[in-house]
Amino acid sequence: MVDESVSAAERYYTLLRIVRLGPHTVRVRVHREVELEPCFAAAEVLSCDMTWTPLVMHHPECWFDRTATPFKHVNVKTELEPLADDLMRRVTAILVKSITLPEHVLDVVGALLAVAYGSTGEHVITPDDVRWAKASGGPFRAIDRPDGSVLFTKAHRHDCPLLTSECEIPCDGRCQAVQAGAGDPAMT
């Protein structure tokens, strides 16, 4: 959730929520007034031209009678949060058909793509590529390193010192710790 606000007055109350859902920004608005007609509950997605596009809505007839009549001290979250949560569940079912990754992971994968295919690189990973990768090498791991870099690997056993020490002890390629002269692990 990026932001959430509530407001209440004598004749209305409102809940506004902004959420990041993968690459999408979603706005959920639920507004309850004394009369049915001006009430609404809707979720919208921010389009690339920076306008809000309606995605899903709850017609007020379905929830108006289950919410409190507006007054200045109404508990807005108690009244409207179930509607907002349901709108978000519906939005998630619609939008999350793509792979959703944290921003840090997207940045690192973008860097990997740029290193492999250039700054405007593009590459399609096919289902056959995924099957081959799962059947070949070890499990995929992405490891944050102390210097801020990220190690992507399928080359190490589960008990490799490189993995179990969070990249502080180097691996010799056979998943054995690299030893310094006196037998102490070399730290790089």
Side-chain angles (χ1 to χ4, degrees):
M1 186 176 321
V2 175
D3 189 34
E4 184 176 73
S5 64
V6 296
S7 60
E10 293 300 325
R11 301 198 47 86
Y12 74 89
Y13 54 98
T14 302
L15 181 142
L16 171 67
R17 183 184 291 173
I18 307 288
V19 177
R20 292 284 300 154
L21 195 58
H24 306 286
T25 301
V26 177
R27 176 172 74 177
V28 173
R29 297 183 301 150
V30 184
H31 180 77
R32 168 68 153 87
E33 291 199 19
V34 174
E35 300 295 324
L36 175 71
E37 186 60 37
C39 298
F40 62 88
E44 304 152 309
V45 64
L46 187 62
S47 65
C48 56
D49 65 350
M50 301 304 284
T51 59
W52 293 105
T53 304
L55 195 58
V56 295
M57 60 188 302
H58 273 309
H59 292 285
E61 310 78 57
C62 299
W63 55 267
F64 182 84
D65 291 334
R66 293 191 322 252
T67 55
T69 301
F71 63 98
K72 193 171 188 170
H73 299 291
V74 68
N75 186 329
V76 177
K77 285 187 70 96
T78 298
E79 296 298 323
L80 300 182
E81 195 165 51
L83 289 163
D85 291 346
D86 187 59
L87 286 166
M88 277 310 303
R89 277 189 292 278
R90 293 170 58 200
V91 165
T92 301
I94 293 168
L95 289 182
V96 183
K97 300 299 182 203
S98 62
I99 298 170
T100 303
L101 299 171
E103 184 110 11
H104 173 68
V105 174
L106 288 174
D107 291 344
V108 172
V109 171
L112 181 64
L113 183 66
V115 166
Y117 298 101
S119 62
T120 58
E122 181 175 285
H123 187 75
V124 174
I125 305 296
T126 67
D128 287 339
D129 294 333
V130 173
R131 279 190 289 279
W132 175 84
K134 287 176 96 172
S136 304
F140 172 77
R141 292 185 174 87
I143 302 168
D144 282 317
R145 296 170 54 154
D147 66 358
S149 63
V150 177
L151 172 67
F152 286 135
T153 184
K154 285 177 57 64
H156 301 275
R157 292 190 331 241
H158 73 282
D159 60 344
C160 177
L162 177 79
L163 303 177
T164 58
S165 69
E166 297 182 356
C167 296
E168 293 188 16
I169 300 173
C171 175
D172 66 356
R174 294 183 309 272
C175 295
Q176 302 294 315
V178 175
Q179 299 293 313
D184 295 331
M187 303 299 272
T188 60

